[in-house]
Amino acid sequence: MQQHQQWMQQAIRLARHGQYSTRPNPNVGCVIVKDGQLVGEGFHPKAGQPHAEVFAMRAAGEAARRATAYVTLEPCAHFGRTPPCAKGLVDAGVSKVVVACPDPNPLVAGKGMQILRDAGIEVISGVCEADAHQLNSGFLKAMATGMPYVRLKVASSLDGRTAMASGESKWITGGLARQDVQHWRAISGVVITGIETVLADNCQLNVRKLDGVENIDTIVQPKRIVLDRQGRLPLTAKLLQQPATVMVMGPYRQELADLGVLQFEVQPLADLLKILVQQHQIYDVLVEAGATLSTAFLQEQLVDEMISYVAPTLLGRSARAMFNAEFDRMAEQLRFKLKDVTQMGDDIRLRLIPSQETL
């Protein structure tokens, strides 16, 4: 089993090569091993291009016969823009397939592993499943539930403030923390914000620089959604410099339509999230907003993970609070479990999972 884990970890590392470019497809890596030696490897680079298994089988050639394939996600079982990988593995003559995560996509959902077993191939599932799941949190959740994986990003001072009373917020955190935010945007299908944030910061909410990526044009930029119930988004806003990637939830405005901006009617946040999955194949959502919208996502239990950057500074009691929920009793509090903590320069990053536990 330890050997299986070592090879699967290599497949997971390969899968990460596609983390900024495969949307809406999942990140997948594959290695093929024979007699303890690596004979082929690959990852899925972009939607419409061959899957990880295909690249690995091409590299292995005839050496794939009677070899073991390690795949981070259950091989597909359906014809899409590419043929089913499960059938490809059968044709390649592998004797064993080790899978990290089953694929809850109804088009797959066990069918891939069944094709392999029906062909007499030994299948082992669940190796390094938790690590592999992290590669595709949004895809896996959306396929299983119809809802995206929602990350809420906040940056605050030690006293829980996110901006001065005037709205000035540049910069609370340092350069390393701000660069880290670029990663979370880059793995997201959309960044959601509120109109107050746009008016205060004239933000772009796009990806401008990524560690390890020389050509930013190779990544899939996230869409940007502005919640603008009163139709106040100015046509001079910086994010409208790329209008095709902007969505607005608010009253219909012809001038936005003329720019190519997609518009939604005002609706509950949960309904908006369902539409993003069903109609736009958006499975990972990043919320970068002010206190009101951030609190709404939390209180409606729509947040899967909170990413909180804390800077070693005090902004004072007149500065804007991180959240604006009002609780009268301890039993009403929103609790979290710490996923991990990372120091970034003088700042720290907390990754937190909402807890269902009550005191």
Side-chain angles (χ1 to χ4, degrees), residues 152 162 193-194 196-197 287-295 321-324:
L152 171 63
T162 61
T193 194
E196 296 294 346
T197 298
V287 179
E288 292 191 55
T292 299
L293 186 54
S294 296
T295 300
M322 199 186 326
F323 303 108
N324 60 12

Side-chain angles (χ1 to χ4, degrees), residues 122-316:
E122 181 184 356
V123 178
I124 300 173
S125 180
V127 175
C128 300
E129 183 170 0
D131 290 340
H133 194 286
Q134 295 298 312
L135 292 168
N136 299 298
S137 300
F139 174 84
L140 294 171
K141 183 186 176 187
M143 291 299 111
T145 70
M147 292 288 281
Y149 190 90
V150 178
R151 296 178 178 91
L152 171 63
K153 169 257 171 181
V154 291
S156 70
S157 61
L158 285 174
D159 49 351
R161 307 291 168 167
T162 61
M164 304 309 294
S166 64
E168 179 188 359
S169 62
K170 296 181 179 180
W171 297 101
I172 296 173
T173 54
L176 290 178
R178 297 198 302 274
Q179 181 58 39
D180 190 59
V181 174
Q182 297 281 300
H183 162 75
W184 300 110
R185 289 180 185 171
I187 66 170
S188 300
V190 72
V191 179
I192 296 181
T193 194
I195 185 60
E196 296 294 346
T197 298
V198 175
L199 294 176
D201 297 340
N202 198 15
C203 46
Q204 297 183 71
L205 301 177
N206 59 355
V207 182
R208 296 180 292 279
K209 182 181 178 183
L210 277 173
D211 291 337
V213 177
E214 292 185 6
N215 183 3
I216 207 70
D217 292 334
T218 61
I219 74 159
V220 180
Q221 285 281 351
K223 305 288 188 183
R224 283 82 51 81
I225 294 184
V226 182
L227 306 192
D228 183 20
R229 294 175 183 271
Q230 297 176 350
R232 294 185 290 156
L233 178 64
L235 298 183
T236 55
K238 285 184 179 178
L239 52 74
L240 288 177
Q241 292 173 1
Q242 294 88 32
T245 64
V246 177
M247 305 176 180
V248 175
M249 187 173 82
Y252 180 81
R253 295 169 59 188
Q254 185 60 48
E255 60 268 33
L256 292 179
D258 291 343
L259 289 173
V261 173
L262 183 63
Q263 300 180 70
F264 299 100
E265 293 181 355
V266 175
Q267 55 199 297
L269 293 176
D271 291 347
L272 174 63
L273 294 178
K274 290 176 185 176
I275 288 173
L276 293 178
V277 169
Q278 296 168 2
Q279 298 182 18
H280 301 281
Q281 291 183 290
I282 290 175
Y283 308 137
D284 287 271
V285 171
L286 181 65
V287 179
E288 292 191 55
T292 299
L293 186 54
S294 296
T295 300
F297 268 94
L298 285 170
Q299 292 190 311
E300 294 180 34
Q301 298 183 335
L302 298 173
V303 175
D304 295 288
E305 178 178 346
M306 182 161 69
I307 303 168
S308 176
Y309 300 92
V310 183
T313 186
L314 300 174
L315 298 185

